[in-house]
Amino acid sequence: MPEDLVDDIDHEILALLREDARRTLSDIAGRVTLSTAAVKRRIDRLQQIGVITGFTVQIDHAKLGWGIEAFTELRFAGTTKVADILNTTTRMREAQAVFTIAGDPDALVWLRVRDMAHLQRTIDEIRRHHQVTGTKTLIALDSWTRGHDRPTP
């Protein structure tokens, strides 16, 4: 998609929606100095052209008992297809995202678990997959995500 389909005001609207997807059209309009109707048309257009693919909720996973995040590098047998790499973990509740990678490792899996024992069981489950030849797990101590306020410690 050519960059000229999205202008600076569209980027401002997107940033405001990333901060709070429940923000009112009126609030957005006031911040970008457009009418509410103009903001609605822009958001509708951004949805039509596929820039906005949905709206979501942010969850404090620690309050649900799933506060540990880890990233596991996966290595696979040389004959493994990319689709098979993705299918290795996408059905696991613990898997938040799977990224296939050109080079070594073959994939990076973002995991969310309750505790260290849960992480160990999850890694063991991944390793049982017959095409996985190796793993390396990194545990996240803290994180930051663009467009999200960082809670104060």
Side-chain angles (χ1 to χ4, degrees):
M1 178 182 76
E3 178 65 24
D4 60 347
L5 290 178
V6 181
D7 63 17
D8 289 342
I9 292 174
D10 291 331
H11 283 287
E12 286 182 58
I13 291 169
L14 291 169
L16 290 167
L17 288 172
R18 267 194 309 270
E19 287 175 9
D20 182 0
R22 293 182 58 174
R23 190 181 298 271
T24 66
L25 294 175
S26 176
D27 178 59
I28 296 170
R31 293 172 185 262
V32 299
T33 63
L34 289 177
S35 70
T36 302
V39 168
K40 171 133 177 50
R41 282 191 303 273
R42 283 176 176 261
I43 291 172
D44 289 346
R45 182 180 54 77
L46 290 167
Q47 286 179 288
Q48 283 180 329
I49 65 174
V51 172
I52 295 176
T53 59
F55 296 89
T56 188
V57 64
Q58 295 175 24
I59 298 170
D60 185 337
H61 293 279
K63 289 184 179 174
L64 295 174
W66 289 66
I68 296 175
E69 292 180 277
F71 295 87
T72 299
E73 296 177 355
L74 301 181
R75 286 163 184 77
F76 288 81
T79 58
T80 307
K81 296 178 182 175
V82 173
D84 293 335
I85 291 172
L86 290 173
N87 290 332
T88 301
T89 56
T90 53
R91 291 182 181 87
M92 297 175 69
R93 181 177 178 190
E94 295 83 0
Q96 305 301 298
V98 181
F99 305 91
T100 55
I101 300 170
D104 184 37
D106 298 302
L108 181 66
V109 181
W110 169 24
L111 299 170
R112 188 178 303 279
V113 295
R114 291 184 217 88
D115 53 36
M116 288 298 132
H118 186 195
L119 178 60
Q120 182 176 340
R121 289 190 305 275
T122 302
I123 299 303
D124 287 345
E125 182 180 342
I126 292 170
R127 287 180 176 169
R128 280 193 292 273
H129 190 279
H130 67 281
Q131 292 180 308
V132 173
T133 61
T135 64
K136 177 181 173 184
T137 301
L138 305 153
I139 298 170
L141 300 176
D142 199 358
S143 64
W144 170 85
T145 304
R146 183 171 308 284
H148 300 277
D149 288 336
R150 188 162 186 256
T152 54

